[in-house]
Amino acid sequence: ARRPWTSSPIGTRERIRFFWEMSMAALGLRTPRPQVNYPPRFKAVVATVVMSGFMWVSNYLTHVLPTIETHSDTPCKYNDSQLTYNAKMLFVYFVWLALARSSLFLPCVATRVALVQSRTHGFCRTYCVHLVIRDGPLYIFVVGS
């Protein structure tokens, strides 16, 4: 005879994991993972942005960087290779922006950023999260370009 509490299709491992996560959340040691369902329109916009970002990076790697390397010792330099330095730094800023913004789609990162914003963790911690993950990469990329 099967017991009523064991009739669910969830296995023992999933049940133990569920109870572990809920007990940690109840103790305040870990927040439960949020379930996020993105609408199809949002997914299409994200796919377009990611594709344009990959196109920009591939253009830099296939056209700009080889041109910089082939013309590195030409007599026409602008302030000690400032243009090549700016191009390389703009690429670094873009990669930082892309990684920081895409990390906000990870539930563990998004939950912690939201917790820092919703609670008072002190000015320094909130400022560091905003500077490194949320807004800083965007500001650096915009100012650098």
Side-chain angles (χ1 to χ4, degrees), residues 31-117:
T31 59
R33 283 191 248 165
Q35 291 292 326
V36 180
N37 295 323
Y38 297 112
R41 186 174 180 184
F42 178 78
K43 291 178 183 178
V45 170
V46 168
T48 304
V49 168
V50 167
M51 187 62 99
S52 63
F54 278 130
M55 289 173 24
W56 190 83
V57 168
S58 67
N59 180 44
Y60 176 81
L61 293 175
T62 59
H63 292 83
V64 176
L65 194 58
T67 305
I68 288 172
E69 291 173 356
T70 57
H71 298 292
S72 64
D73 52 346
T74 58
C76 184
K77 290 186 177 182
Y78 175 70
N79 289 342
D80 297 326
S81 300
Q82 185 177 1
L83 288 176
T84 59
Y85 177 76
N86 288 345
K88 290 177 182 177
M89 289 311 295
L90 189 61
F91 176 73
V92 170
Y93 297 153
F94 179 77
V95 170
W96 181 25
L97 170 70
L99 289 175
R101 287 295 166 138
S102 60
S103 72
L104 289 175
F105 286 107
L106 298 173
C108 58
V109 175
T111 303
R112 293 185 189 205
V113 170
L115 282 174
V116 167
Q117 289 179 355

